[in-house]
Structure formats: structure tokens, C-alpha cells
């Protein structure tokens, strides 16, 4: 199956849904307070950087298993950790500028490989940032599962 | 001319200027060089034109340490030698390969690439190759309109290898040697030992025996051992009538520093995160023809990276659609959203390339060829080859794998999977030796550290020389054949001047 046809549309869809939801329902003042909805929107946006979410989550689960410091973190805490890694302040983000995160993530992942800020997961070498992104995908999907059940 | 030595009368004596032991790549290259030179040359070849089991069994021996290939499997004991089954891959040493590298003990040749280069160029047509243009990779790529992988900075670089048809020396040069008036090849001639004066400083004759039992001797002004990386050392050790430790072995170096390339095939897979790049310059098994050369690209570390990381030399061969590691699903495509900024650059699932690694080992004096107590059917002691792999070499391989994965990821092409990342304390399953036997009569500027000098003359023996990969003190990442032929031609040139 040619996944590459689906993925650009899927990413754009996720980004636009996330942005639309926030613009219509979240006042700007609440963003600066680290509102739960905002964090969740940012979380979804960050996760949307990854293709094949199920596989990304598997990678994330593996990283979590091997990293005790991540295991206990909630998705909100992981999102904040990622923003810290990307040197982005939470209160600087708004739905209109989530797109800035794309380039930040790309640059950070590239820099991770330059600086050898990497992890090895069952034979795979990944950037710590992208491994943390996968961990976020796994933790968030687990959180959704808990909410549903 | 070519003579079947079995037809010589028993006890026959040959007097010649130059006696060459072995008619493989080195021996035949020198024979061709001496043709029409005015010097009388006698070349002793153990086998005939066709491989025979009995002669081939003379190569059997034992291995200790790492479980190596059977010794009679990699080498061919007949006219043309191991060129009878070589793959034809060629690339000369770099000057860096021959230099002293402080982080690699026992490294450093007593010659530079500049001294070898004229002979490398001369070797090309002998190996069925075109122009000596190894530095023209970028120009070749441009003419072929194929992209070179755009690694960042001066780290991983692409270099050219060429492919011989491959030239089978026995077939290609049989006619030339048959026609020669001054070079005589004696088939079915097994040199048992070289005799010398009491002091072991001058070789007086070669004692030869045919497999049917008849014997003869060869007296010469100069003797050249060109019997291969293991057999050269064996013959010197066997030549112990006057010198109990063997000829040229007063410092116990003959047979030591046995070395071979370390290969992990494959070392890793790169799972692409973007549309698979055009790797045709690297993966096309048929190579690309230009200027009479069949060439292809391989990757290696720049001198700067090698120095920075204190690595031994290595090269990566890329292979399309790797069959190995199928169980490991490619995850590179998970990160295509990160690596690829433009639309349409995303890759299909599970596209990957395999990276095969060939690595230079660290010279080790305890890796060695010794005489065993077992004898072959001619009554000669066989050899035992001890080859141990070190922790430093494993760490070197691990670091090389890391560099490979990092560089492909930095380029935004994908993510690397390597079994060596799972267990850094163990050689991966796909490890094997390169079947390039080298180092056992190494070249040096001092008899305390080597067996032969810069002219391949055995220290302390005025008329014994060695040709072939046994003289390599280090082996870089390149295949030995082009380089050993060049050294053989250089030796022939030196002897022509010396005898004149």
C-alpha cells in the first residue's frame, strides 16, 4: 500500500483540525496559563510530526521501557519536556504559530545527530528528541485508551 | 616457455639469474616484466594449468583463534594462482594508508604512495582496467549523470573502485609466457626449501620436488618468493637447515602480524525516511563503464574523520533491497515528516539499503603463521594460522557503525539498524574474514620491526626478496591485488637495475 499518498493529507488535516478547534474554543488568555486544552492541542500537533502512529507508539513504548525517567511522566509533562528541548516557551505558542514547531523539530533532530544526542532502541539509532516524540505518542494514546475505557 | 617439470630428469640442475617461486598475480606480473629483459628467469609453480586436488591439498593447515575459512579454500595452487577465483575489485592504497598513524601500533610503511604510483598505473592494464583515474570520481559521476550522496562536511566521502573483468592471470598470460625466450615457467614444481650459506645471509639454491617424486635444484643470483601471504612465510620457516629458526627470522618476525580484512556483511540497514535516493552509482552490481573502466562508488571516512575518531580504515558497500534483517521493519518512514520539509518527498514503507563494511584490522604480532607438527604428502610441515580478534577492533567496528547511522540520519535520509547496537560486546552474526592473507613478511625500515626492507629484500640476506601481500605492514580498506601487483612490478624494476 502506498502510504505516502495518505500522509501529507493526514498531517494537513490534523494540523488544521487542531488549529480550528483552538481558534474557535480557546481564548488567548487561557493559552498563557498552560491550559489543559492548549497542552493537548500542542501534544497532538507534536505527535502529528510522526507518520504511522501505531508504529511510532511501539517505538515510544520501547523507549519508555528503557528510560525510567520517562516512564512516570504524563503526556502533559512529556509535551513540556519536548518544548523545553526545542527551546520553545509554552506561552509563546498559539494555534496560529504551531507551524513554527515543524522547523524547530527538524532542526533539533538534525542537531541531535550532529551532537550524538541519540538513543539505541533494539538496534535502531534514533535522535533523543524523536524518541521522546514517540514516547509522547505512546503515552498520549494510552491516556486516550484509559479515558475511553 | 612453459615446461612440465615432471618431464625433467631426476636430479636436474637449473642455473638462472632470477628464480621466482609462485606463478600467481605477483609471479606472473614479474615474469612479464622480465620478458625480453635479457635476464634468465625460472619460475616455479606448484600446480599445472588445471587445479588438481592433490596439489591443492598442499595448502591445507589449521587455524586457531577465530574460526577461519579452511586454508585450502581461499587459495588456488595452480598456474595463475588465486586470480583463478578472485572477484576483480580494485582500488589503490591512499597515501594515508601507508603513513604512520599514532593510534595504530605497528603502522607505517617505509615507502610512500608517490613511490608506488608509477607501478599502480602500470598494473592497470595487467588487471584488465582502463585509465588510472581513481581521483576522478566526481567527474565520472557527472558524466554518468548520477548523484553522489550529499553527506555533510568532510566526514563520509565517496570514492571510486574499479572492477577487473576479472582477469585470470593463468589464462590471460599463458601465451605470453609460453612465447618468452628468457622466462621459463616450470609447472608441478614444489619448492621444499631454500638452502643458504651457514650464516643464512645468502641463498644458494631452491630444492624442488614434483608430486610424482622427482627432484631438481635451482641456483640463481636472485630468489623471489611470490607464493602468497601464507606460503611465503611457510617457505622461509621451512628453510631452516642452516638457520634453525628459518631464513630471515633472526628477530622472530617471519609469520607474525598475519592480518586479514574484517567484514560485516551487512553491518546495518538504513531504513529510508524519504523517497529512496538514487544510489545507482553505488548499488549497481554491474558497475558503470567509462574510459575503459568498470567502476562503482563506495563510502569511506575522510582522513580528517579517521584521525579525529582514531579509527582504522574502512569502507561501506551499499546494497539495494537487502534480504537480511527482513524481520526488522523499517522505521525510517516514521520520521519522514521530520526529515522531509517538501511535499512528495515521503517514502514508501520498508525501503532500505544495506551497508556492508570492510574494515582494516589492527596489526597484532601474536596473529601469526607457524609451522605445525603435521606434514603434507611431500613431507613438509604444514602451517597453523593463529588469528585473534581484539576488543579494540570490535570497538572500532561499533564506532564505524555509529558513524554510518549518524551520517545517514544527519543527511535526513533515514535511520540505521545494526545488530552491533544491540550487543557491543560481540561480533555480529554476519562477520567474516576477507580472505586476504597479508602481513606475514612485513615491510619495514628496520629488521627489528620487519622482515623485508623498502625494496622487499629480506633483511640480512643479500639475494632473497619477497613479493605479494605478505609484505604489507598494514592493509587499509582496499583489496590487495592491484597493490601487490604494483609492488611486484616495482621489485622487478629494482632487480633489473640491481642486476645490471
Amino acid at each position: 500500500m502506498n502510504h505516502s499518498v495518505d500522509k501529507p493529507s493526514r498531517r494537513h488535516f490534523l494540523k488544521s483540525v487542531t488549529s480550528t478547534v483552538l481558534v474557535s474554543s480557546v481564548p488567548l488568555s487561557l493559552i498563557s496559563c498552560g491550559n489543559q486544552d492548549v497542552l493537548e492541542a500542542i501534544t497532538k500537533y507534536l505527535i502529528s510530526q510522526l507518520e504511522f502512529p501505531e508504529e511510532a507508539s511501539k517505538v515510544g513504548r520501547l523507549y519508555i521501557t528503557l528510560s525510567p525517567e520517562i516512564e512516570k511522566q504524563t503526556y502533559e509533562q512529556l509535551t513540556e519536556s519536548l518544548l523545553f528541548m526545542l527551546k520553545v516557551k509554552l506561552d509563546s505558542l498559539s494555534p496560529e504559530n504551531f507551524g513554527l514547531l515543524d522547523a524547530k523539530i527538524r532542526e533539533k533532530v538534525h542537531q541531535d545527530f550532529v551532537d550524538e544526542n541519540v538513543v539505541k532502541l533494539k538496534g535502531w539509532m534514533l535522535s533523543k528528541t524523536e524518541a521522546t516524540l514517540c514516547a509522547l505518542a505512546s503515552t498520549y494514546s494510552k491516556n486516550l485508551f484509559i479515558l475511553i475505557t | 616457455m612453459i615446461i612440465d617439470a615432471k618431464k625433467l630428469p631426476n636430479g636436474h640442475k637449473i642455473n638462472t639469474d632470477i628464480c621466482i617461486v609462485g606463478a600467481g598475480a605477483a609471479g606472473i606480473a614479474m615474469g612479464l616484466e622480465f620478458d625480453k629483459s635479457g635476464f634468465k628467469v625460472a619460475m616455479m609453480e606448484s600446480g599445472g594449468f588445471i587445479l588438481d586436488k592433490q596439489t591443492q591439498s598442499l595448502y591445507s593447515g589449521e587455524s586457531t583463534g577465530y574460526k577461519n575459512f579452511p586454508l585450502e579454500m581461499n587459495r588456488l595452487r595452480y598456474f595463475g594462482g588465486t586470480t583463478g577465483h578472485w572477484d576483480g575489485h580494485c582500488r589503490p592504497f591512499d597515501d594515508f594508508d601507508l603513513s604512520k598513524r599514532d593510534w595504530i601500533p605497528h603502522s607505517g610503511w617505509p615507502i610512500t604512495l608517490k613511490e608506488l604510483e608509477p607501478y599502480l598505473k602500470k598494473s592497470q592494464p595487467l588487471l584488465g582496467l582502463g585509465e588510472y583515474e581513481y581521483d576522478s570520481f566526481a567527474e565520472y559521476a557527472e558524466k554518468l549523470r548520477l548523484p553522489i550522496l550529499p553527506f555533510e562536511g568532510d566526514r563520509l566521502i565517496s570514492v571510486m573502485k574499479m572492477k577487473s573483468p576479472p582477469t585470470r592471470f593463468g589464462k590471460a598470460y599463458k601465451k605470453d609466457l609460453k612465447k618468452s625466450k628468457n622466462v621459463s615457467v616450470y609447472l608441478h614444481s614444489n619448492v621444499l626449501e631454500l638452502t643458504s650459506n651457514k650464516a643464512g645471509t645468502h641463498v644458494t639454491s631452491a630444492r624442488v620436488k614434483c608430486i610424482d617424486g622427482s627432484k631438481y635444484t635451482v641456483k640463481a643470483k636472485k630468489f623471489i618468493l611470490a607464493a602468497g601471504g601464507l606460503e611465503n612465510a611457510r617457505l622461509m620457516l621451512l628453510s631452516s637447515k642452516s638457520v634453525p629458526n628459518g631464513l630471515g627470522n633472526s628477530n622472530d618476525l617471519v609469520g607474525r602480524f598475519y592480518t586479514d580484512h574484517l567484514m560485516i556483511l551487512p553491518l546495518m540497514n538504513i531504513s529510508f525516511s524519504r523517497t529512496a535516493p538514487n544510489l545507482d552509482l553505488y548499488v549497481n552490481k554491474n558497475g558503470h563503464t567509462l574510459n575503459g573502466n568498470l567502476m562503482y562508488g563506495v563510502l569511506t571516512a575522510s582522513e580528517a574523520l579517521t584521525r579525529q575518531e582514531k579509527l582504522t580504515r574502512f569502507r561501506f558497500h551499499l546494497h539495494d533491497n537487502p534480504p537480511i534483517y527482513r524481520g526488522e521493519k523499517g522505521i525510517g518512514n516514521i520520521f519522514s515528516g521530520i526529515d522531509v520539509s517538501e511535499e512528495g518527498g515521503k517514502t514508501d514503507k520498508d525501503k532500505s539499503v544495506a551497508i556492508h563494511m570492510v574494515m582494516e584490522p589492527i596489526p597484532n604480532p601474536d596473529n601469526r603463521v607457524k609451522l605445525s607438527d603435521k606434514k603434507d604428502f611431500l613431507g613438509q610441515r604444514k602451517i597453523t594460522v593463529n588469528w585473534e580478534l581484539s576488543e579494540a577492533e570490535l570497538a572500532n567496528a561499533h564506532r564505524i557503525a555509529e558513524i554510518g547511522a549518524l551520517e545517514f540520519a544527519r543527511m535526513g535520509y533515514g535511520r540505521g539498524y545494526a545488530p552491533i547496537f544491540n550487543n557491543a560486546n560481540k561480533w555480529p552474526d554476519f562477520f567474516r574474514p576477507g580472505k586476504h592473507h597479508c602481513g606475514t613478511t612485513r615491510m619495514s625500515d628496520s629488521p627489528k620491526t620487519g622482515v623485508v626492507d623498502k625494496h622487499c629484500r629480506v633483511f640480512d640476506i643479500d639475494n632473497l626478496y619477497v613479493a605479494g601481500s605478505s609484505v604489507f605492514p598494514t592493509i587499509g580498506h582496499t583489496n590487495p591485488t592491484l597493490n601487490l601487483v604494483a609492488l611486484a612490478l616495482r621489485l622487478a624494476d629494482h632487480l633489473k637495475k640491481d642486476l645490471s
Side-chain angles (χ1 to χ4, degrees), chain A residues 2-4 8 11-12 49-52 55 106 110 113 116 120 122-126 130, chain B residues 152 329 333-334 336 338 341 343 348-349 398-399 402 406 410 415-418 421-422:
Chain A
N2 185 348
H3 290 270
S4 61
R11 276 191 65 203
H12 279 141
Q49 302 295 309
L50 302 166
E51 309 292 339
F52 308 108
E55 283 172 26
R106 187 169 303 117
H110 174 261
F113 287 113
E116 295 195 46
K120 287 170 188 154
K122 273 190 120 185
W124 290 98
M125 181 191 277
L126 302 181
E130 63 194 7
Chain B
E152 291 183 356
K329 280 192 184 164
N333 31 67
I334 295 176
S336 58
I338 294 172
S341 56
E343 293 307 329
D348 289 341
K349 230 165 169 297
H398 186 264
R399 184 57 187 154
E402 287 183 331
L406 286 166
R410 273 171 75 149
R415 303 294 181 270
Y417 168 83
F421 292 158
N422 271 331

CSV table of all heavy atoms in Angstrom, one decimal, chain A residues 2-4 8 11-12 49-52 55 106 110 113 116 120 122-126 130, chain B residues 152 329 333-334 336 338 341 343 348-349 398-399 402 406 410 415-418 421-422:
chain,number,residue,atom,x,y,z
A,2,ASN,N,0.5,2.2,-0.8
A,2,ASN,CA,1.3,3.4,-0.9
A,2,ASN,C,0.9,4.4,0.2
A,2,ASN,O,-0.1,5.2,0.0
A,2,ASN,CB,1.1,4.0,-2.3
A,2,ASN,CG,2.1,5.2,-2.5
A,2,ASN,OD1,2.7,5.7,-1.5
A,2,ASN,ND2,2.2,5.6,-3.7
A,3,HIS,N,1.6,4.4,1.3
A,3,HIS,CA,1.2,5.3,2.4
A,3,HIS,C,1.5,6.7,2.1
A,3,HIS,O,0.9,7.6,2.7
A,3,HIS,CB,1.9,4.8,3.7
A,3,HIS,CG,1.4,3.5,4.3
A,3,HIS,ND1,0.3,3.4,5.1
A,3,HIS,CD2,1.8,2.3,4.0
A,3,HIS,CE1,0.1,2.2,5.4
A,3,HIS,NE2,0.9,1.4,4.7
A,4,SER,N,2.5,6.9,1.3
A,4,SER,CA,3.0,8.3,1.1
A,4,SER,C,1.9,9.2,0.5
A,4,SER,O,1.9,10.4,0.6
A,4,SER,CB,4.2,8.3,0.2
A,4,SER,OG,3.9,7.8,-1.1
A,8,PRO,N,0.6,13.1,3.6
A,8,PRO,CA,0.5,14.6,3.6
A,8,PRO,C,-0.9,15.1,3.9
A,8,PRO,O,-1.0,16.0,4.7
A,8,PRO,CB,0.9,15.0,2.1
A,8,PRO,CG,1.7,13.8,1.6
A,8,PRO,CD,1.1,12.6,2.3
A,11,ARG,N,-1.5,14.7,7.7
A,11,ARG,CA,-0.9,15.7,8.5
A,11,ARG,C,-1.6,17.1,8.4
A,11,ARG,O,-1.7,17.7,9.4
A,11,ARG,CB,0.6,15.9,8.1
A,11,ARG,CG,1.5,14.8,8.7
A,11,ARG,CD,2.9,15.1,8.5
A,11,ARG,NE,3.3,16.3,9.1
A,11,ARG,CZ,4.4,17.1,8.8
A,11,ARG,NH1,5.1,16.7,7.8
A,11,ARG,NH2,4.7,18.2,9.4
A,12,HIS,N,-1.9,17.5,7.2
A,12,HIS,CA,-2.5,18.8,7.0
A,12,HIS,C,-3.8,18.8,7.7
A,12,HIS,O,-4.2,19.8,8.4
A,12,HIS,CB,-2.8,19.0,5.5
A,12,HIS,CG,-1.5,19.5,4.8
A,12,HIS,ND1,-1.2,19.2,3.6
A,12,HIS,CD2,-0.6,20.4,5.3
A,12,HIS,CE1,0.0,19.8,3.2
A,12,HIS,NE2,0.3,20.5,4.2
A,49,GLN,N,3.8,15.1,13.8
A,49,GLN,CA,5.1,15.0,13.0
A,49,GLN,C,5.5,13.6,12.6
A,49,GLN,O,6.3,13.4,11.7
A,49,GLN,CB,6.2,15.6,13.9
A,49,GLN,CG,6.0,17.0,14.4
A,49,GLN,CD,6.0,18.0,13.3
A,49,GLN,OE1,6.8,18.1,12.5
A,49,GLN,NE2,4.9,18.8,13.3
A,50,LEU,N,4.9,12.7,13.4
A,50,LEU,CA,5.3,11.3,13.1
A,50,LEU,C,4.3,10.6,12.2
A,50,LEU,O,3.1,10.8,12.3
A,50,LEU,CB,5.3,10.5,14.5
A,50,LEU,CG,6.2,11.1,15.5
A,50,LEU,CD1,5.9,10.4,16.9
A,50,LEU,CD2,7.7,10.8,15.2
A,51,GLU,N,4.8,9.8,11.2
A,51,GLU,CA,4.0,9.1,10.3
A,51,GLU,C,3.7,7.7,11.0
A,51,GLU,O,4.5,7.3,11.9
A,51,GLU,CB,4.7,8.8,9.0
A,51,GLU,CG,5.2,10.1,8.3
A,51,GLU,CD,4.1,11.0,7.9
A,51,GLU,OE1,3.0,10.6,7.7
A,51,GLU,OE2,4.4,12.2,7.7
A,52,PHE,N,2.7,7.0,10.6
A,52,PHE,CA,2.5,5.6,11.0
A,52,PHE,C,2.4,5.6,12.6
A,52,PHE,O,3.3,5.0,13.3
A,52,PHE,CB,3.5,4.6,10.5
A,52,PHE,CG,3.7,4.7,9.1
A,52,PHE,CD1,4.9,5.3,8.5
A,52,PHE,CD2,2.8,4.2,8.2
A,52,PHE,CE1,5.1,5.3,7.1
A,52,PHE,CE2,2.9,4.3,6.8
A,52,PHE,CZ,4.1,4.9,6.3
A,55,GLU,N,3.0,2.4,14.8
A,55,GLU,CA,4.4,2.0,14.9
A,55,GLU,C,5.3,3.0,15.7
A,55,GLU,O,6.2,2.6,16.4
A,55,GLU,CB,5.0,1.9,13.5
A,55,GLU,CG,4.5,0.6,12.9
A,55,GLU,CD,4.9,0.4,11.4
A,55,GLU,OE1,5.9,1.0,11.0
A,55,GLU,OE2,4.2,-0.3,10.7
A,106,ARG,N,12.6,19.7,13.2
A,106,ARG,CA,13.6,19.3,12.2
A,106,ARG,C,15.0,19.7,12.6
A,106,ARG,O,15.9,18.9,12.5
A,106,ARG,CB,13.2,19.9,10.8
A,106,ARG,CG,14.0,19.3,9.6
A,106,ARG,CD,13.4,19.7,8.3
A,106,ARG,NE,12.0,19.3,8.2
A,106,ARG,CZ,11.0,20.1,8.1
A,106,ARG,NH1,11.2,21.4,8.0
A,106,ARG,NH2,9.8,19.7,8.0
A,110,HIS,N,18.0,17.1,13.7
A,110,HIS,CA,19.3,17.1,12.9
A,110,HIS,C,20.4,17.4,13.9
A,110,HIS,O,21.5,16.7,13.8
A,110,HIS,CB,19.2,18.2,11.8
A,110,HIS,CG,20.5,18.4,11.1
A,110,HIS,ND1,21.4,19.4,11.5
A,110,HIS,CD2,21.1,17.7,10.1
A,110,HIS,CE1,22.4,19.4,10.7
A,110,HIS,NE2,22.3,18.3,9.9
A,113,PHE,N,21.6,14.5,15.9
A,113,PHE,CA,22.5,13.6,15.2
A,113,PHE,C,23.9,14.2,15.1
A,113,PHE,O,24.9,13.5,15.1
A,113,PHE,CB,22.0,13.2,13.9
A,113,PHE,CG,20.8,12.2,14.0
A,113,PHE,CD1,19.6,12.6,13.6
A,113,PHE,CD2,21.0,10.9,14.5
A,113,PHE,CE1,18.5,11.7,13.7
A,113,PHE,CE2,20.0,10.0,14.6
A,113,PHE,CZ,18.7,10.4,14.2
A,116,GLU,N,25.3,13.8,18.5
A,116,GLU,CA,25.2,12.5,19.0
A,116,GLU,C,24.4,12.4,20.3
A,116,GLU,O,24.6,11.6,21.2
A,116,GLU,CB,26.6,11.8,19.3
A,116,GLU,CG,27.4,11.7,18.0
A,116,GLU,CD,28.6,10.8,18.0
A,116,GLU,OE1,28.4,9.7,18.6
A,116,GLU,OE2,29.6,11.2,17.5
A,120,LYS,N,19.8,4.2,21.4
A,120,LYS,CA,19.7,3.0,20.6
A,120,LYS,C,18.6,2.1,21.2
A,120,LYS,O,18.6,1.7,22.3
A,120,LYS,CB,21.0,2.2,20.7
A,120,LYS,CG,22.1,2.9,19.9
A,120,LYS,CD,23.5,2.3,20.2
A,120,LYS,CE,24.6,3.2,19.5
A,120,LYS,NZ,25.8,3.1,20.2
A,122,LYS,N,16.7,-1.3,20.6
A,122,LYS,CA,16.7,-2.6,19.9
A,122,LYS,C,17.4,-2.6,18.6
A,122,LYS,O,16.9,-3.1,17.6
A,122,LYS,CB,15.2,-3.1,19.7
A,122,LYS,CG,14.7,-3.8,20.9
A,122,LYS,CD,13.3,-4.4,20.6
A,122,LYS,CE,13.4,-5.9,20.8
A,122,LYS,NZ,12.2,-6.6,20.3
A,123,GLY,N,18.6,-2.0,18.5
A,123,GLY,CA,19.3,-1.9,17.3
A,123,GLY,C,19.1,-0.7,16.5
A,123,GLY,O,19.9,-0.5,15.5
A,124,TRP,N,18.1,0.1,16.7
A,124,TRP,CA,17.9,1.3,15.9
A,124,TRP,C,18.5,2.5,16.6
A,124,TRP,O,18.4,2.6,17.8
A,124,TRP,CB,16.4,1.6,15.8
A,124,TRP,CG,15.7,0.6,14.9
A,124,TRP,CD1,15.0,-0.5,15.3
A,124,TRP,CD2,15.6,0.6,13.5
A,124,TRP,NE1,14.5,-1.2,14.2
A,124,TRP,CE2,14.9,-0.5,13.1
A,124,TRP,CE3,16.1,1.5,12.5
A,124,TRP,CZ2,14.6,-0.8,11.7
A,124,TRP,CZ3,15.9,1.2,11.2
A,124,TRP,CH2,15.1,0.1,10.8
A,125,MET,N,19.2,3.4,15.8
A,125,MET,CA,19.7,4.6,16.4
A,125,MET,C,18.7,5.7,16.1
A,125,MET,O,18.5,6.0,14.9
A,125,MET,CB,21.1,4.9,15.8
A,125,MET,CG,21.7,6.2,16.4
A,125,MET,SD,23.1,6.8,15.6
A,125,MET,CE,24.4,5.8,16.3
A,126,LEU,N,18.2,6.4,17.1
A,126,LEU,CA,17.3,7.5,16.9
A,126,LEU,C,17.8,8.7,17.7
A,126,LEU,O,18.5,8.6,18.7
A,126,LEU,CB,15.9,7.1,17.5
A,126,LEU,CG,15.2,5.9,16.9
A,126,LEU,CD1,13.8,5.7,17.5
A,126,LEU,CD2,15.0,6.0,15.4
A,130,GLU,N,13.3,12.7,18.8
A,130,GLU,CA,12.3,11.9,18.1
A,130,GLU,C,11.9,10.7,18.9
A,130,GLU,O,10.7,10.3,18.9
A,130,GLU,CB,12.7,11.5,16.7
A,130,GLU,CG,13.9,10.6,16.6
A,130,GLU,CD,14.5,10.5,15.2
A,130,GLU,OE1,14.1,11.3,14.3
A,130,GLU,OE2,15.4,9.7,15.0
B,152,GLU,N,27.2,15.5,4.9
B,152,GLU,CA,27.6,16.9,5.4
B,152,GLU,C,29.1,16.9,5.7
B,152,GLU,O,29.6,15.9,6.3
B,152,GLU,CB,26.8,17.2,6.7
B,152,GLU,CG,25.3,17.4,6.4
B,152,GLU,CD,24.6,17.8,7.7
B,152,GLU,OE1,25.3,17.8,8.8
B,152,GLU,OE2,23.4,18.1,7.6
B,329,LYS,N,11.2,-4.4,10.8
B,329,LYS,CA,10.5,-3.5,9.9
B,329,LYS,C,11.2,-2.1,9.9
B,329,LYS,O,11.6,-1.6,10.9
B,329,LYS,CB,9.1,-3.3,10.4
B,329,LYS,CG,8.2,-4.5,10.0
B,329,LYS,CD,6.7,-4.1,10.2
B,329,LYS,CE,5.9,-5.4,9.9
B,329,LYS,NZ,4.6,-5.2,10.5
B,333,ASN,N,10.6,5.5,7.9
B,333,ASN,CA,9.4,6.3,7.4
B,333,ASN,C,8.6,6.9,8.5
B,333,ASN,O,7.8,7.8,8.2
B,333,ASN,CB,8.6,5.4,6.5
B,333,ASN,CG,8.6,3.9,7.0
B,333,ASN,OD1,8.1,3.6,8.0
B,333,ASN,ND2,9.2,3.1,6.2
B,334,ILE,N,8.7,6.5,9.7
B,334,ILE,CA,8.0,7.1,10.8
B,334,ILE,C,8.5,8.6,10.9
B,334,ILE,O,7.7,9.5,11.3
B,334,ILE,CB,8.3,6.4,12.2
B,334,ILE,CG1,7.8,5.0,12.2
B,334,ILE,CG2,7.8,7.3,13.4
B,334,ILE,CD1,8.1,4.2,13.5
B,336,SER,N,9.6,10.5,8.4
B,336,SER,CA,9.7,11.3,7.1
B,336,SER,C,9.1,12.6,7.3
B,336,SER,O,9.5,13.6,6.6
B,336,SER,CB,9.0,10.5,6.0
B,336,SER,OG,7.7,10.2,6.3
B,338,ILE,N,9.6,14.5,9.7
B,338,ILE,CA,10.6,15.3,10.3
B,338,ILE,C,11.7,15.6,9.3
B,338,ILE,O,12.2,16.7,9.1
B,338,ILE,CB,11.2,14.6,11.5
B,338,ILE,CG1,10.2,14.5,12.6
B,338,ILE,CG2,12.4,15.4,12.1
B,338,ILE,CD1,10.6,13.7,13.8
B,341,SER,N,11.0,18.3,4.3
B,341,SER,CA,10.2,19.5,4.5
B,341,SER,C,9.2,19.7,3.3
B,341,SER,O,8.2,20.3,3.5
B,341,SER,CB,11.1,20.7,4.6
B,341,SER,OG,11.9,20.8,3.5
B,343,GLU,N,6.7,18.5,0.2
B,343,GLU,CA,5.7,17.5,0.0
B,343,GLU,C,6.2,16.6,-1.1
B,343,GLU,O,6.9,17.0,-2.0
B,343,GLU,CB,4.3,18.1,-0.4
B,343,GLU,CG,3.7,18.9,0.7
B,343,GLU,CD,3.5,18.1,2.0
B,343,GLU,OE1,3.3,16.9,1.9
B,343,GLU,OE2,3.5,18.8,3.1
B,348,ASP,N,7.9,5.2,0.5
B,348,ASP,CA,7.1,4.0,0.7
B,348,ASP,C,7.6,3.3,1.9
B,348,ASP,O,8.8,3.4,2.2
B,348,ASP,CB,7.1,3.1,-0.5
B,348,ASP,CG,6.3,3.7,-1.6
B,348,ASP,OD1,5.4,4.6,-1.4
B,348,ASP,OD2,6.5,3.3,-2.8
B,349,LYS,N,6.8,2.5,2.5
B,349,LYS,CA,7.2,1.7,3.7
B,349,LYS,C,8.3,0.7,3.3
B,349,LYS,O,8.3,0.2,2.3
B,349,LYS,CB,6.0,1.0,4.2
B,349,LYS,CG,5.7,1.1,5.7
B,349,LYS,CD,4.3,0.6,6.0
B,349,LYS,CE,4.1,0.5,7.5
B,349,LYS,NZ,4.9,-0.4,8.2
B,398,HIS,N,32.2,-1.0,16.1
B,398,HIS,CA,31.0,-0.4,16.7
B,398,HIS,C,30.9,1.1,16.4
B,398,HIS,O,29.9,1.6,16.0
B,398,HIS,CB,31.0,-0.7,18.2
B,398,HIS,CG,29.7,-0.2,18.9
B,398,HIS,ND1,29.6,1.0,19.5
B,398,HIS,CD2,28.5,-0.8,19.0
B,398,HIS,CE1,28.4,1.1,20.0
B,398,HIS,NE2,27.7,0.0,19.7
B,399,ARG,N,32.0,1.7,16.5
B,399,ARG,CA,32.1,3.2,16.3
B,399,ARG,C,31.8,3.5,14.8
B,399,ARG,O,31.1,4.4,14.5
B,399,ARG,CB,33.4,3.7,16.7
B,399,ARG,CG,33.5,5.3,16.6
B,399,ARG,CD,32.5,6.0,17.4
B,399,ARG,NE,32.5,7.4,17.1
B,399,ARG,CZ,31.4,8.2,17.3
B,399,ARG,NH1,30.2,7.7,17.7
B,399,ARG,NH2,31.5,9.5,17.0
B,402,GLU,N,28.2,3.3,14.2
B,402,GLU,CA,27.6,4.6,14.8
B,402,GLU,C,27.7,5.7,13.8
B,402,GLU,O,26.8,6.4,13.5
B,402,GLU,CB,28.2,5.0,16.1
B,402,GLU,CG,27.8,4.1,17.3
B,402,GLU,CD,28.4,4.5,18.6
B,402,GLU,OE1,29.5,5.1,18.6
B,402,GLU,OE2,27.8,4.2,19.6
B,406,LEU,N,24.8,7.7,12.0
B,406,LEU,CA,24.7,9.2,12.3
B,406,LEU,C,24.7,10.0,11.0
B,406,LEU,O,23.9,10.9,10.8
B,406,LEU,CB,25.9,9.6,13.1
B,406,LEU,CG,25.8,9.3,14.6
B,406,LEU,CD1,27.1,9.4,15.3
B,406,LEU,CD2,24.7,10.1,15.3
B,410,ARG,N,21.9,12.4,9.7
B,410,ARG,CA,22.2,13.9,9.6
B,410,ARG,C,21.8,14.4,8.2
B,410,ARG,O,21.4,15.5,8.0
B,410,ARG,CB,23.7,14.1,9.7
B,410,ARG,CG,24.2,14.3,11.1
B,410,ARG,CD,25.7,14.3,11.2
B,410,ARG,NE,26.3,15.5,10.7
B,410,ARG,CZ,27.4,16.1,11.1
B,410,ARG,NH1,28.1,15.5,12.1
B,410,ARG,NH2,27.9,17.2,10.6
B,415,ARG,N,17.1,6.1,9.0
B,415,ARG,CA,17.6,5.7,10.4
B,415,ARG,C,18.3,4.3,10.2
B,415,ARG,O,17.8,3.5,9.5
B,415,ARG,CB,16.4,5.6,11.4
B,415,ARG,CG,15.7,6.9,11.5
B,415,ARG,CD,16.5,8.0,12.1
B,415,ARG,NE,15.8,9.2,12.3
B,415,ARG,CZ,15.7,10.2,11.4
B,415,ARG,NH1,16.3,10.1,10.2
B,415,ARG,NH2,15.0,11.3,11.6
B,416,GLY,N,19.3,4.2,11.0
B,416,GLY,CA,20.1,2.9,10.9
B,416,GLY,C,19.8,1.9,11.9
B,416,GLY,O,19.5,2.2,13.1
B,417,TYR,N,19.7,0.6,11.4
B,417,TYR,CA,19.5,-0.5,12.3
B,417,TYR,C,20.8,-1.4,12.2
B,417,TYR,O,21.2,-1.8,11.1
B,417,TYR,CB,18.3,-1.3,11.9
B,417,TYR,CG,18.3,-2.7,12.6
B,417,TYR,CD1,17.7,-2.8,13.9
B,417,TYR,CD2,18.8,-3.8,12.0
B,417,TYR,CE1,17.7,-4.0,14.6
B,417,TYR,CE2,18.8,-5.0,12.7
B,417,TYR,CZ,18.2,-5.1,14.0
B,417,TYR,OH,18.3,-6.3,14.6
B,418,ALA,N,21.4,-1.7,13.3
B,418,ALA,CA,22.6,-2.5,13.3
B,418,ALA,C,22.6,-3.5,14.5
B,418,ALA,O,22.5,-3.0,15.6
B,418,ALA,CB,23.9,-1.7,13.3
B,421,PHE,N,24.5,-2.7,17.6
B,421,PHE,CA,24.0,-1.7,18.5
B,421,PHE,C,23.3,-2.5,19.7
B,421,PHE,O,23.1,-1.9,20.8
B,421,PHE,CB,23.0,-0.7,17.9
B,421,PHE,CG,23.6,0.2,16.9
B,421,PHE,CD1,22.8,0.8,15.9
B,421,PHE,CD2,24.9,0.6,17.0
B,421,PHE,CE1,23.4,1.8,15.0
B,421,PHE,CE2,25.5,1.5,16.1
B,421,PHE,CZ,24.7,2.1,15.1
B,422,ASN,N,22.8,-3.7,19.4
B,422,ASN,CA,22.1,-4.4,20.4
B,422,ASN,C,23.1,-5.1,21.4
B,422,ASN,O,22.8,-5.3,22.5
B,422,ASN,CB,21.3,-5.6,19.7
B,422,ASN,CG,20.0,-5.2,19.4
B,422,ASN,OD1,19.4,-4.3,20.0
B,422,ASN,ND2,19.4,-5.8,18.3
